[in-house]
């Protein structure tokens, strides 16, 4: 079953096309990795899925993105509810300058959850789901800024899943982390896909191979090839993909 | 300009070709020793097998190192995986050639029951199959490899023919049983060499096309 269907998507910065006529689908409870050289449109593409690009002036979107049958590109579609359904994790961890507890509780409160015990329960569950609970349970009221980079990133993922999104977008979530923290994030992605559908941008091809079920190769704003990850890394159909994954260009 | 990875893969490839040359030499010398009842030549095949064993270990080590340090993908990955398996096939071929040489030693210079024609023919076909399977890799040509796989039938038929012929020898003259059984064993060994050459051809197709053709005719 498809969670996301992208149809003939074009995206322009001014008159400059950054995404050219992309059509693809993402299956429910799978991880899709986007690979391709810098500037190929990977990040622009995932930012279309929760309409983060709306805030950039002088841009234009054509085509359609459908999530569970709803066209989310429609101007009347409620962007706030979209961003609740589609969470995002960025390259640089960006916790709020608040306590660890408040980082997660904040999103719950603005989503209307008032019951203190309910909030405590969700905070604990989110931290457990991101394998952070044991590391922070004794200092929930300390500032999140005191956590290590890897812990901050996992806190941001905990914050994202606390509001129960359906889709998680990740833009290079581990590129600034050490190997151990990276491994933890990758393990987490594997666990999270049981509940969520994940689209991840990564420059690290081995990471794409490790965490994803499907891999899409982008080049100059176009989708060149999308296939099962194993096929892309053992026997890609197109020479261009072959050249990219074997490091001949990019 | 080739990348460091490509240079390393070329180096591993040339080692596998070196190993193939040694395996081919072992087959041809062992059958020659049998034909000429030359125990010295046979002994040199037996002694030379350790070179193949050493190369097997070296090639395995280098493939593992490339997998760990370079994380190859696509064609590069398929080449390493193919070589890891071809390596085992070639080492087995070396062992099988040693079995033929041991039979020559066992005969202690006695002439063979009859002039050998089909056994050297089997060896020739086996050697051509190994050479062609490796040529399929250098030329990246799956058609050459497909032809190798087809030729396995020729070896199989010769094996059956030799078996029948020696069976009638044994029925007529019980004194021939010991040597006839030895020759039947050698034909079987050459038939196995044909199977290993077929395996190498299948790995070549996997490397070039990414398609696993093993057991596709089962």
């Amino acid at each position: 079953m498809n969670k996301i269907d992208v149809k003939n998507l074009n995206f322009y910065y001014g008159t400059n096309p950054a995404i050219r006529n992309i059509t693809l689908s993402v299956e429910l409870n799978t991880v899709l990795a986007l690979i391709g050289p810098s500037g190929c449109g990977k990040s622009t593409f995932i930012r279309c899925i929760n309409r983060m690009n709306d805030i950039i002036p002088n841009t234009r979107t054509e085509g359609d993105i459908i999530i569970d049958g709803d066209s989310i590109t429609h101007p009347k579609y409620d962007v706030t509810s979209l961003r609740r359904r589609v969470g995002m994790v960025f390259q640089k961890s960006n916790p709020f300058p608040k306590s660890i507890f408040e980082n997660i509780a904040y999103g719950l409160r603005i989503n209307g959850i008032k019951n203190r015990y309910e909030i405590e329960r969700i905070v604990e569950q989110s931290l457990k789901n991101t394998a952070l609970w044991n590391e922070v349970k004794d200092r929930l009221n300390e500032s999140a800024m005191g956590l290590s980079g890897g812990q901050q990133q996992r806190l941001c993922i905990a914050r994202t899943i606390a509001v129960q999104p359906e889709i998680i977008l990740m833009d290079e979530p581990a590129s600034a982390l050490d190997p151990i923290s990276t491994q933890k994030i990758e393990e987490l992605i594997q666990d999270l896909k049981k509940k969520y559908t994940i689209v991840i941008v990564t420059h690290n091809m081995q990471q794409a191979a490790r965490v994803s079920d499907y891999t899409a190769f982008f080049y100059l704003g176009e989708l060149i090839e999308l296939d099962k990850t194993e096929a892309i890394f053992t026997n890609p159909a197109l020479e261009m993909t072959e050249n990219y994954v074997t490091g001949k260009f990019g | 300009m080739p990348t460091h990875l490509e240079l390393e893969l070329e180096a591993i490839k040339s080692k596998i070709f070196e190993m193939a040359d040694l395996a081919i030499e072992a087959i041809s010398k062992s059958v020659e020793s049998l034909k000429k009842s030359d125990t010295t030549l046979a002994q040199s095949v037996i002694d030379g097998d350790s070179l193949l064993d050493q190369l097997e270990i070296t090639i395995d080590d280098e493939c593992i190192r490339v997998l760990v340090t370079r994380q190859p993908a696509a064609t590069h990955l398929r080449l390493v995986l193919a070589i890891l398996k071809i390596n085992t096939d070639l080492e087995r071929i070396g062992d099988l050639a040693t079995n033929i040489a041991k039979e020559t030693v066992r005969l202690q210079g006695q002439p063979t029951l009859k002039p050998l024609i089909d056994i050297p023919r089997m060896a020739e076909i086996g050697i051509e199959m190994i050479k062609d399977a490796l040529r399929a890799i250098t030329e990246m040509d799956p058609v050459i490899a497909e032809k190798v796989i087809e030729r396995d039938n020729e070896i199989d038929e010769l094996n059956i023919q030799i078996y029948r012929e020696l069976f009638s020898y044994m029925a007529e003259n019980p004194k021939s049983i010991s040597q006839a059984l030895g020759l039947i064993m050698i034909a079987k060994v050459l038939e196995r060499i044909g199977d290993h050459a077929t395996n190498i051809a299948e790995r070549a197709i996997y490397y070039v096309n990414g398609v696993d053709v093993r057991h596709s005719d089962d």
Side-chain angles (χ1 to χ4, degrees):
Chain A
M1 199 178 89
N2 290 344
K3 183 73 187 170
I4 311 170
D5 287 296
V6 177
K7 291 182 180 165
N8 306 107
L9 187 74
N10 286 282
F11 183 83
Y12 301 86
Y13 290 108
T15 54
N16 197 11
I19 298 287
R20 297 162 194 253
N21 203 31
I22 288 184
T23 296
L24 61 80
S25 298
V26 188
E27 267 177 49
L28 179 71
N29 300 117
T30 60
V31 180
L32 169 69
L34 308 183
I35 60 168
S38 297
C40 70
K42 308 177 296 278
S43 296
T44 303
F45 178 79
I46 66 162
R47 292 162 64 95
C48 288
I49 302 175
N50 68 349
R51 287 182 51 185
M52 283 283 286
N53 292 325
D54 285 14
I55 55 174
I56 305 170
N58 200 19
T59 58
R60 184 162 53 90
T61 310
E62 287 168 5
D64 207 354
I65 300 175
I66 295 160
I67 298 177
D68 285 339
D70 299 335
S71 167
I72 60 123
T73 46
H74 194 278
K76 288 196 174 152
Y77 192 92
D78 175 11
V79 176
T80 311
S81 85
L82 172 68
R83 292 185 190 146
R84 188 158 51 229
R85 291 177 73 186
V86 185
M88 188 154 186
V89 178
F90 300 86
Q91 178 177 9
K92 198 171 172 302
S93 54
N94 49 359
F96 305 133
K98 290 170 177 286
S99 70
I100 295 167
F101 184 90
E102 276 306 313
N103 258 276
I104 299 170
Y106 182 75
L108 299 171
R109 288 204 195 91
I110 60 165
N111 276 300
I113 300 174
K114 298 276 189 292
N115 183 314
R116 203 181 97 208
Y117 299 107
E118 179 67 0
I119 289 175
E120 279 176 4
R121 187 188 65 77
I122 298 175
V123 168
E124 180 174 337
Q125 197 54 49
S126 305
L127 289 170
K128 279 181 176 163
N129 288 346
T130 50
L132 200 55
W133 177 251
N134 284 336
E135 293 165 46
V136 301
K137 64 179 181 212
D138 300 323
R139 46 176 174 144
L140 290 175
N141 294 319
E142 289 174 25
S143 168
M145 309 313 276
L147 296 173
S148 73
Q151 288 171 327
Q152 285 188 12
Q153 191 63 307
R154 278 182 286 146
L155 179 65
C156 290
I157 297 174
R159 188 175 71 188
T160 305
I161 63 173
V163 294
Q164 298 194 303
E166 298 156 33
I167 296 166
I168 304 175
L169 307 174
M170 296 183 165
D171 194 352
E172 299 250 18
S175 63
L177 303 179
D178 69 277
I180 308 265
S181 303
T182 299
Q183 195 190 349
K184 283 184 180 165
I185 301 278
E186 289 179 0
E187 295 275 327
L188 189 56
I189 292 171
Q190 295 292 301
D191 292 337
L192 292 175
K193 78 167 183 186
K194 291 171 197 143
K195 283 179 151 176
Y196 311 95
T197 303
I198 299 171
V199 184
I200 176 172
V201 167
T202 176
H203 268 130
N204 180 333
M205 281 191 275
Q206 276 71 47
Q207 182 170 67
R210 285 192 295 266
V211 302
S212 68
D213 302 296
Y214 292 88
T215 298
F217 170 53
F218 279 49
Y219 188 64
L220 297 176
E222 287 181 57
L223 172 64
I224 306 296
E225 186 172 351
L226 189 161
D227 205 338
K228 288 212 162 97
T229 295
E230 190 187 326
I232 293 285
F233 289 100
T234 59
N235 192 17
L238 299 178
E239 199 184 343
M240 211 167 171
T241 317
E242 164 90 27
N243 287 343
Y244 186 69
V245 299
T246 55
K248 290 203 181 86
F249 81 94
Chain B
M1 210 179 82
T3 59
H4 284 283
L5 168 62
E6 283 166 340
L7 292 173
E8 284 175 30
L9 292 176
E10 276 310 311
I12 297 179
K13 237 202 264 178
S14 65
K15 283 217 170 67
I16 207 88
F17 291 145
E18 183 189 337
M19 197 169 169
D21 286 342
L22 287 173
I24 287 168
E25 193 184 308
I27 301 169
S28 97
K29 275 189 180 169
S30 65
V31 172
E32 192 64 18
S33 76
L34 187 73
K35 242 163 81 178
K36 294 185 176 159
S37 310
D38 183 342
T39 48
T40 319
L41 186 60
Q43 194 56 49
S44 77
V45 174
I46 298 165
D47 297 340
D49 191 48
S50 62
L51 264 175
L52 274 165
D53 294 345
Q54 263 314 314
L55 264 173
E56 183 195 20
I57 294 170
T58 312
I59 291 171
D60 265 357
D61 284 349
E62 292 192 9
C63 286
I64 291 165
R65 193 179 49 75
V66 164
L67 285 172
V68 170
T69 59
R70 304 273 181 200
Q71 290 128 23
T75 318
H76 295 156
L77 175 66
R78 298 202 303 272
L79 178 63
V80 178
L81 296 179
I83 284 178
L84 273 170
K85 291 200 164 190
I86 292 171
N87 193 23
T88 310
D89 282 313
L90 289 173
E91 191 275 333
R92 290 294 300 142
I93 289 173
D95 287 349
L96 291 166
T98 309
N99 289 349
I100 301 174
K102 281 178 184 160
E103 186 58 18
T104 308
V105 174
R106 191 182 72 91
L107 291 174
Q108 289 180 318
Q110 287 175 49
T112 48
L113 275 179
K114 61 183 241 3
L116 299 180
I117 296 160
D118 288 338
I119 284 181
R121 180 72 196 127
M122 282 180 90
E124 254 171 55
I125 297 171
I127 288 170
E128 284 165 15
M129 284 170 73
I130 298 168
K131 282 184 178 165
D132 284 344
L134 288 154
R135 195 157 62 84
I137 291 180
T138 11
E139 296 180 16
M140 292 194 79
D141 184 349
V143 179
I144 300 175
E146 279 158 16
K147 286 187 183 143
V148 170
I149 297 171
E150 283 165 21
R151 288 199 80 183
D152 192 37
N153 291 334
E154 290 178 42
I155 288 205
D156 290 351
E157 277 161 24
L158 280 168
N159 180 35
I160 294 166
Q161 191 179 311
I162 289 168
Y163 177 81
R164 286 205 192 107
E165 194 185 344
L166 289 166
F167 194 80
S168 58
Y169 260 86
M170 289 190 285
E172 277 167 28
N173 177 12
K175 281 186 185 159
S176 70
I177 287 178
S178 166
Q179 217 195 93
L181 281 176
L183 292 176
I184 286 172
M185 184 277 289
I186 285 168
K188 181 69 196 159
V189 159
L190 290 164
E191 188 268 330
R192 289 294 301 142
I193 287 177
D195 290 345
H196 284 291
T198 304
N199 289 351
I200 297 173
E202 287 168 349
R203 323 291 189 216
I205 293 173
Y206 173 72
Y207 160 56
V208 181
N209 283 348
V211 181
D212 191 343
V213 295
R214 288 177 300 172
H215 314 300
S216 48
D217 57 346
D218 287 359

